[in-house]
Amino acid sequence: MNYLVVVPRMVSKIGDFYQFPQGIAYITSAMTRAGLNIFKLNLNHIELPVYEAIENAICSNNIGVLLTGGLTGQYGAIRAVLDSAKRVKKDLITVVGGGIVTSAPAYAMQALELADYGVIGEGELVVCDLCNALERGESPRTIPGIMYKDGLKYVVAPGQPKVVDVNSIPFPDYDGLGLEELLKSIPNYIGMSDLNTFPIITSRGCPFNCTFCFHPSGQKYRQRSLDSVFSEIDYLLDNYNIKFISVQDELFSYDIDRVREFCGRIKPYKIKWWAQFRVSDITAELVDMLKDAHCASMGFGIESADNRILASMRKGIAIEQTNTALEIVHHAGIGIQGCLIFGDVAETVETATNTLDWWKKHPQYGLQLSMVVTYPGTALFRYACGNGLIQDPVQFIKDGCPAFKL
């Protein structure tokens, strides 16, 4: 059986920067190691219309199963892949995974409509089990982590999916997904403006539970061994001439001893890098160590300058810690990436004004402003559904998860 793995089109113009689909690259790598016959199609590097590109790939390679996925905010792009696939070949088996399914499986599958199977959680093992079942002519409906449609209902297979050992799975599959072309685009993230910028993941999960956040890899924090991480970095440098590394961990600084070891090991490479930190972890000693190791930019979850809102968001930080941390980082000459988000359930004119006033007093940090988005899978989403603010969760996903008054 032939499989087609499709990266949805996320760019408005071919050649624009987008976040490399690390999750899909891990899936194709696992499928390759399992001996499955896969073809890859990244629509972000093909000038053809989506339907035509998918039609060519399906017909040229006699595809029997199409797999795609992404985050809820990419619903339209994912749906376009499924629409095209089913128009080309009605009996084509379609599989969707990623945050869009994991965050709200039943709502997502209803919104996507044309997906035959949904993969809940980390997909490296589940997808291979699903494909192997199809190869043997067996039903995947008994595989833990699979959602499927049974009549008018969506059903989750019984049992818990296997836990992914982050040190045993292969590196992401960088071949055939347009990486060489992506490296020619400049990132549109503050603090990262270099060609040949590439993301890497050194850990999965986040132990914190902010109300507006959903963790696609779960809350259980798991670290890759640094030997594995630097083997991957060596591979990237040898094969792709990487100039800047974007560490995509949800929380890079959870283990300060590990951060210290990472700094010691990356310093000799003399390559710039970015990672995400908590303001409560920042000290002058840590920042000096990061700068010495060529850390060029640091991301922070700042969110608000009012402690009442930070408490409501379950951030576990205070504005006093933010003030101290950003002053240390700015004084050291390291770039800062962060955002202030408005519209929490506890937000008032007073709290929003406090945050805006604080932002205006600190233009040197270059922080962005945004409204909070009630993404499926978050505590805010459950609050909004439970209080009738979101009356139709399926339509809410189809509408692109618009911001609204909480």
Side-chain angles (χ1 to χ4, degrees):
M1 186 174 287
N2 293 337
Y3 302 85
L4 177 65
V5 180
V6 180
V7 179
R9 180 171 291 166
M10 294 168 279
V11 297
S12 57
K13 178 171 64 69
I14 301 301
D16 286 351
F17 181 82
Y18 65 98
Q19 186 62 55
F20 183 75
Q22 206 85 355
I24 289 179
Y26 269 109
I27 296 297
T28 60
S29 184
M31 293 177 69
T32 299
R33 188 169 72 172
L36 298 166
N37 193 33
I38 66 170
F39 297 85
K40 289 164 276 190
L41 177 66
N42 189 336
L43 295 169
N44 297 283
H45 300 286
I46 297 176
E47 294 283 357
L48 293 174
V50 169
Y51 174 81
E52 191 173 339
I54 290 177
E55 180 185 35
N56 290 346
I58 290 174
C59 296
S60 300
N61 301 298
N62 190 27
I63 299 299
V65 181
L66 179 144
L67 304 95
T68 189
L71 299 174
T72 309
Q74 297 160 350
Y75 165 79
I78 297 169
R79 178 63 189 257
V81 171
L82 297 174
D83 285 344
S84 298
K86 289 293 190 178
R87 282 170 55 202
V88 172
K89 190 175 181 181
K90 281 187 177 181
D91 61 348
L92 185 74
I93 298 172
T94 52
V95 182
V96 178
I100 187 170
V101 175
T102 302
S103 61
Y107 295 146
M109 291 291 282
Q110 290 177 67
L112 291 167
E113 294 182 272
L114 300 173
D116 295 308
Y117 297 101
V119 176
I120 302 170
E122 297 169 296
E124 289 90 348
L125 304 179
V126 177
V127 163
C128 290
D129 287 345
L130 183 151
C131 294
N132 285 329
L134 294 174
E135 293 273 347
R136 297 189 297 266
E138 299 172 357
S139 171
R141 294 187 173 193
T142 60
I143 298 172
I146 292 294
M147 171 167 265
Y148 58 93
K149 190 172 185 180
D150 186 8
L152 298 176
K153 294 182 178 180
Y154 284 92
V155 180
V156 178
Q160 293 297 317
K162 301 172 186 174
V163 176
V164 173
D165 179 355
V166 294
N167 284 307
S168 68
I169 55 177
F171 296 159
D173 181 4
Y174 301 114
D175 296 324
L177 286 174
L179 175 59
E180 296 87 350
E181 293 302 313
L182 178 61
L183 293 176
K184 299 174 185 177
S185 303
I186 296 177
N188 52 6
Y189 295 103
I190 294 174
M192 288 186 281
S193 57
D194 292 57
L195 294 173
N196 291 46
T197 293
F198 193 79
I200 188 171
I201 296 173
T202 81
S203 67
R204 288 191 184 183
C206 177
F208 297 96
N209 194 25
C210 301
T211 58
F212 54 84
C213 189
F214 171 73
H215 308 300
S217 298
Q219 282 188 250
K220 185 176 180 181
Y221 181 71
R222 291 154 295 157
Q223 300 172 342
R224 288 176 61 191
S225 74
L226 289 184
D227 286 344
S228 171
V229 170
F230 280 91
S231 292
E232 184 176 354
I233 291 175
D234 288 338
Y235 174 82
L236 293 172
L237 291 171
D238 289 343
N239 291 276
Y240 295 102
N241 192 30
I242 301 299
K243 300 294 186 185
F244 196 114
I245 291 175
S246 171
V247 179
Q248 293 295 298
D249 302 20
E250 290 187 82
L251 184 58
F252 178 68
S253 63
Y254 185 67
D255 184 341
I256 297 300
D257 288 338
R258 185 170 182 268
V259 174
R260 184 174 289 105
E261 182 182 352
F262 180 90
C263 287
R265 294 181 67 162
I266 201 169
K267 179 181 175 180
Y269 288 77
K270 296 182 179 179
I271 187 170
K272 293 187 289 184
W273 55 284
W274 172 94
Q276 183 83 10
F277 297 81
R278 277 176 66 83
V279 295
S280 54
D281 295 330
I282 300 303
T283 64
E285 182 267 336
L286 174 66
V287 171
D288 287 343
M289 178 177 64
L290 293 167
K291 185 175 183 180
D292 190 51
H294 312 291
C295 178
S297 182
M298 299 169 66
F300 294 99
I302 297 168
E303 327 312 0
S304 177
D306 191 292
N307 284 334
R308 290 166 291 184
I309 302 304
L310 292 171
S312 175
M313 291 175 167
R314 302 202 294 252
K315 283 292 297 180
I317 60 172
I319 186 56
E320 292 78 13
Q321 292 171 304
T322 297
N323 283 328
T324 300
L326 297 189
E327 184 177 351
I328 292 172
V329 174
H330 182 68
H331 183 263
I334 297 178
I336 294 171
Q337 180 184 346
C339 188
L340 296 166
I341 54 179
F342 298 85
D344 177 78
V345 294
E347 194 84 86
T348 65
V349 172
E350 180 188 3
T351 61
T353 300
N354 287 343
T355 295
L356 280 171
D357 288 346
W358 180 89
W359 175 72
K360 288 186 284 185
K361 290 177 183 176
H362 300 90
Q364 69 273 26
Y365 301 144
L367 303 179
Q368 296 176 303
L369 305 179
S370 179
M371 293 300 295
V372 70
V373 178
T374 314
Y375 284 118
T378 65
L380 284 185
F381 181 77
R382 293 188 291 273
Y383 169 87
C385 292
N387 287 276
L389 301 175
I390 295 178
Q391 296 187 1
D392 186 344
V394 174
Q395 189 61 46
F396 179 73
I397 293 174
K398 289 183 176 181
D399 291 341
C401 302
F404 64 94
K405 184 178 178 181
L406 288 168

